[in-house]
Amino acid sequence: MSCCRSSTSNVAGTDMRPKGNISSCTCPKGDFDVRESETIRFERVKCGTTVGKMRIWLVVAAAAILMAALSLMGISGYAGWQLTHPQEKPITVYPADYGLEKKDVQFHSTLGHVLLKGWLIPGQDSRRIVIFAHGYRDNRSVEEPVLPLVKALHEQGVASLLFDFRNSGESEKDITSIGQFEKADLLSAIDYAKSLGNEQIGLIGFSMEAAAALMAAPEVNHLRFVVADSPFADLESYLRDH
């Protein structure tokens, strides 16, 4: 409520008529209007509450986005690790099972100096050799169709080199790169075969290493042929299937 009152007064000791009404707005102690102040304070509290709720929702939304991103990164990281670190298969079949004599050999890849191990099946003609490149998740001891082919080549006097790519069989552990690192391993195997005096070299590759053989072929002299069994034409679809 309003505390202002109007009053009429004269100036003491004069005959002058009152000059008019004098307004007095002095309020007795404790007698004042607080409605306007309370309204402002309520609006401030209401505004503060709304801002606080918005901040909470923003924090919750940011946390949800962060968790989703971390989950996606974790899934992608796990899938990438599985692809580049496939489970190893033990060597279970040997040339002796097919009546073939072997020589244990080893050489280093030109990429990363990774130690690669394999078998050399000698042939009567020391100038000709076929290098076998096993597929993804496999090793040099793949029985079908490699060892039967090796036996057939041996009967024709042709030598064979079977080796484990990096991160496979008995070769040194490293990262499987789905082709690029394996290309370097295969080129190193070709260099090793040349160092033995072989002048006519053929490549037979399977799956992922068939693609590596096709990538390596243009960089090799004295290469007589390449057999690529089931290479991938599109890396994205190959990775999705495996």
Side-chain angles (χ1 to χ4, degrees):
M1 63 181 178
S2 177
C3 300
C4 297
R5 297 181 178 84
S6 296
S7 61
T8 302
S9 60
N10 293 327
V11 177
T14 65
D15 294 331
M16 297 177 61
R17 286 184 289 181
K19 298 296 185 179
N21 293 332
I22 299 175
S23 297
S24 174
C25 291
T26 301
C27 295
K29 185 176 181 180
D31 188 14
F32 58 91
D33 192 347
V34 296
R35 286 176 296 175
E36 182 178 355
S37 176
E38 290 176 347
T39 300
I40 293 174
R41 184 166 55 190
F42 175 76
E43 292 295 334
R44 287 178 179 175
V45 171
K46 182 179 179 181
C47 181
T49 302
T50 302
V51 172
K53 289 182 178 179
M54 290 180 63
R55 288 177 178 173
I56 292 173
W57 279 110
L58 287 174
V59 170
V60 171
I65 293 172
L66 179 60
M67 290 297 295
L70 290 175
S71 298
L72 182 60
M73 291 174 60
I75 294 172
S76 300
Y78 177 76
W81 175 267
Q82 290 292 97
L83 284 171
T84 57
H85 297 78
Q87 186 175 1
E88 302 171 16
K89 290 184 178 180
I91 295 176
T92 57
V93 183
Y94 295 84
D97 298 331
Y98 285 80
L100 298 170
E101 295 183 1
K102 68 175 177 63
K103 178 182 178 182
D104 293 323
V105 298
Q106 62 183 37
F107 50 91
H108 289 91
S109 175
T110 56
L111 182 62
H113 204 65
V114 177
L115 181 63
L116 307 174
K117 295 184 178 182
W119 296 322
L120 175 65
I121 313 299
Q124 293 181 352
D125 187 348
S126 60
R127 297 174 303 170
R128 297 184 298 169
I129 190 170
V130 174
I131 300 175
F132 288 84
H134 65 76
Y136 182 64
R137 291 194 178 101
D138 284 328
N139 57 49
R140 62 183 131 147
S141 73
V142 177
E143 183 175 7
E144 296 289 347
V146 173
L147 288 175
L149 283 175
V150 171
K151 183 176 178 62
L153 289 169
H154 179 74
E155 292 173 351
Q156 299 298 317
V158 180
S160 297
L161 176 62
L162 299 78
F163 74 100
D164 298 324
F165 284 86
R166 66 182 63 209
N167 211 33
S168 302
E170 295 180 349
S171 290
E172 188 175 352
K173 303 303 174 270
D174 197 70
I175 295 176
T176 300
S177 72
I178 321 297
Q180 193 61 38
F181 293 176
E182 291 71 26
K183 169 190 168 184
D185 295 349
L186 185 54
L187 288 172
S188 301
I190 294 171
D191 289 340
Y192 176 75
K194 287 182 177 180
S195 72
L196 300 177
N198 294 285
E199 299 175 357
Q200 300 178 21
I201 300 173
L203 299 179
I204 300 180
F206 302 89
S207 183
M208 179 180 72
E209 312 315 344
L214 293 174
M215 291 189 290
E219 303 181 22
V220 180
N221 295 324
H222 309 298
L223 189 65
R224 298 302 299 270
F225 66 86
V226 176
V227 177
D229 187 339
S230 306
F232 59 79
D234 178 65
L235 181 58
E236 181 179 351
S237 60
Y238 178 81
L239 293 176
R240 184 171 58 250
D241 294 338
H242 291 78

